[in-house]
Amino acid sequence: MSLSLVDKTKNFFIEIGDLSYFAGRFFKEVLKPPFEFKELLRQCYHMGNRSLVLVSVTGFIIGLVLTLQSRPTLIEFGAVSWMPNMVGISIVRELGPVITALICAGRIASGIGAELGSMRVTEQIDAMEVSGTNPFKYLVVTRILATTLMLPLLVIIGDAIALYGSALVENLKGDVSFQLYFNKVFDALEYGDLIPATTKSFFFGFTIGLVGCYKGYYCKKGTAGVGVAANTAVVFASMLLFFVDFVAVFVSDIFYEL
Amino acid sequence: MAKTTLENLRLGVFVIIGTTLIVLAAYLIGNRQNMFGNTFSISAVFNNVNGLQSGNNVRFSGINVGTVENIEMINDSTIRVNMIIEEKMLKHIRRDAIATIGSDGLVGSMLISITPGLGSESLVVPGDELKTQSRLVTQDMLSTLNITNENAALLTADLLKVTQSLAQGKGILGKLLNDTVMATSLEQTISNLEHASKRTNSMMTKLNKEMGRVNFEESAMGILLADTISGNNIKSILSNFETASKEIEEVTKDINSVMKEIKNGKGAVNYLTTDSTFVNNLDTTIRNIEQGAQSFNENMEALKHNFLTRGYFRKLERRQKKEAEKNQN
């Protein structure tokens, strides 16, 4: 069935409106007791610790590859000593948060979408509503909070491992000691790099959790709906991440002169 | 339940590691900008800061000791730069230190470089104002370069004149370049030189051959150099010399003692040299002998004229004459 352009546009705005309403409901519920603390910890463990290996490996390879790829160009300009500054700033400011968030979008948003989607399909959510438990509070709030809190931690660990990978390349190929490398990295970094990046990753985490939960919570009926929910959760979350990143860079530009 | 505890433990470890990393990064970044630790503030006044920003490094003798805190405009040509310096540098920076604005490498960010003065002044106290030196600006360099360019233009014009006169064959150098006669004679000279050098070369080869032909093995030099027997001989000769010299020494000693004895008035020689009576006797004796010889002469003359012996003397004279004639012939 093919929709007209007007309908598509209408559906897009409806979805944005629904998502905004969903986010508003989250903020309303998150401050209201009772708090599902145990469930929050469980979700934090599943989203944080379980993603750690993936994030570490990706971060390490990104640092390694970025350094290896930039080396020839920097050598051509005689600026290979600026490698720590360049890699440090690019990883901490942009690459670390965005790549970690994208990986988490792939792993966590799809997971949440599929989990909540299948719960919706098997009418578990409806059963919870009937039995008097607040499914939104138990399922959605804990998950969004968990991603929001865990993503900055994953980002900082990913950054550290990426910088280690970069330092390893410089150490092996360029005879730069680890101490000198990290001295230079922290020489180049400022609070204007670290604070916006960390703040940004909170929003990234929130976006991932929000989109995953939204897509799963409003899953269409039928087993096909679960697949669609998981798939659209990843696609929508990734797209929204870049949008959030765009906004975040503009906002941080106001506070910290680039 | 146990599973949940383990999960929570792992989660706790993860959260602590992440938080520690964030705090560590924040601390390290702040530490670079001297936000922690004891610092003091000094200032310097420039008339151009060349794009210095707050947060740029301050170096004392090349060591990073602080950062630029802020830059404020005092009036249209003076700018005050306030710097935060580590407190431990208080006992090193003196009042005659000079602050300049430089850059970290060709493309690096700007920085303030504090150079120590002569070290005779007292140490700085927080709030002091350092002396400054304006930086070499590109504009000034370009204006100097402009003058250099003008000079270069004059020089090249002169050079053009010189080369033109050279090409036209003026002056000695021009003649050297253009005169064909001189060129041929020069060529001749060079070929003569070449010839001479060839001959020298052949002579040297010959000399070399001659030198090679000299038999070093059988010559005196060769023997001296190579023969061990003659070496031994020389050794024995030397030892003989030694004994001879020893003997000579003894003889000299003896002579010495004899001379001493002579001096002390012992022996005949001494008698001869020191006794004056004997000398007088000798003198009279010799005089007597002289007188005796004279009377003997007179006697002989008388004998010549005596008739008994005249004939013998005449015969003697004639024989003598004959012999003289024979000798003349």
Side-chain angles (χ1 to χ4, degrees), chain B residues 250-280:
Chain B
E250 277 169 25
V251 170
T252 323
K253 267 183 198 164
D254 288 350
I255 288 172
N256 215 7
S257 62
V258 169
M259 290 303 282
K260 268 182 191 163
E261 278 176 8
I262 288 169
K263 254 188 196 165
N264 293 337
K266 287 169 191 169
V269 178
N270 186 52
Y271 184 72
L272 276 176
T273 50
T274 54
D275 197 343
S276 55
T277 335
F278 175 73
V279 176
N280 289 339

Side-chain angles (χ1 to χ4, degrees), chain A residues 38 40-50 52 79 82 150 152-154 156-158 160 182-194 198, chain B residues 1 3-4 6-12 14-19 21-22 24-33 35-36 55 57 64 104 107-109:
Chain A
K38 267 186 191 166
L40 176 67
L41 285 184
R42 203 177 71 85
Q43 291 300 333
C44 280
Y45 176 77
H46 278 282
M47 287 161 191
N49 285 39
R50 290 286 171 86
L52 191 58
W82 290 81
M150 285 300 110
L153 296 176
L154 285 172
I156 198 81
I157 289 173
F182 283 103
N183 263 345
K184 281 194 159 186
V185 166
F186 286 111
D187 226 15
L189 287 178
E190 286 169 14
Y191 284 130
D193 301 316
L194 185 70
T198 313
Chain B
M1 197 64 207
K3 194 185 155 201
T4 322
L6 193 67
E7 280 182 2
N8 286 350
L9 184 74
R10 283 182 182 166
L11 180 68
F14 169 69
V15 169
I16 285 168
I17 289 173
T19 321
L21 276 174
I22 288 185
L24 193 72
Y27 172 75
L28 283 172
I29 292 169
N31 201 21
R32 293 270 150 189
Q33 296 177 352
M35 286 190 172
F36 314 110
N57 283 329
N64 283 333
D104 191 3
V107 289
S109 52

Side-chain angles (χ1 to χ4, degrees), chain A residues 113-126:
Chain A
E115 197 184 2
L116 292 192
S118 55
M119 279 172 130
R120 170 65 76 191
V121 169
T122 52
E123 295 175 346
Q124 286 181 52
I125 293 175
D126 299 323

Side-chain angles (χ1 to χ4, degrees), chain A residues 110-187:
Chain A
S110 64
I112 296 172
E115 197 184 2
L116 292 192
S118 55
M119 279 172 130
R120 170 65 76 191
V121 169
T122 52
E123 295 175 346
Q124 286 181 52
I125 293 175
D126 299 323
M128 280 168 99
E129 268 171 4
V130 170
S131 66
T133 354
N134 185 350
F136 195 91
K137 203 168 186 60
Y138 188 76
L139 298 175
V140 176
V141 171
T142 51
R143 279 174 173 76
I144 296 179
L145 257 185
T147 51
T148 312
L149 294 174
M150 285 300 110
L151 202 75
L153 296 176
L154 285 172
V155 166
I156 198 81
I157 289 173
D159 283 356
I161 289 168
L163 285 177
Y164 174 76
S166 173
L168 197 71
V169 172
E170 279 293 284
N171 189 257
L172 293 177
K173 290 199 112 182
D175 291 329
V176 176
S177 72
F178 283 99
Q179 195 189 353
L180 178 64
Y181 188 91
F182 283 103
N183 263 345
K184 281 194 159 186
V185 166
F186 286 111
D187 226 15

Side-chain angles (χ1 to χ4, degrees), chain B residues 42-46 49 52 68 70-71 79-83 112:
Chain B
I42 50 175
S43 64
V45 172
F46 297 91
V49 292
L52 189 80
V68 173
N70 59 44
I71 298 167
I79 302 157
R80 180 195 292 277
V81 177
N82 293 314
M83 297 166 266
I112 288 188

Side-chain angles (χ1 to χ4, degrees), chain A residues 22 94 118 135 165 173 241 252:
Chain A
F22 195 76
E94 194 59 37
S118 55
K173 290 199 112 182
L241 277 177
S252 63

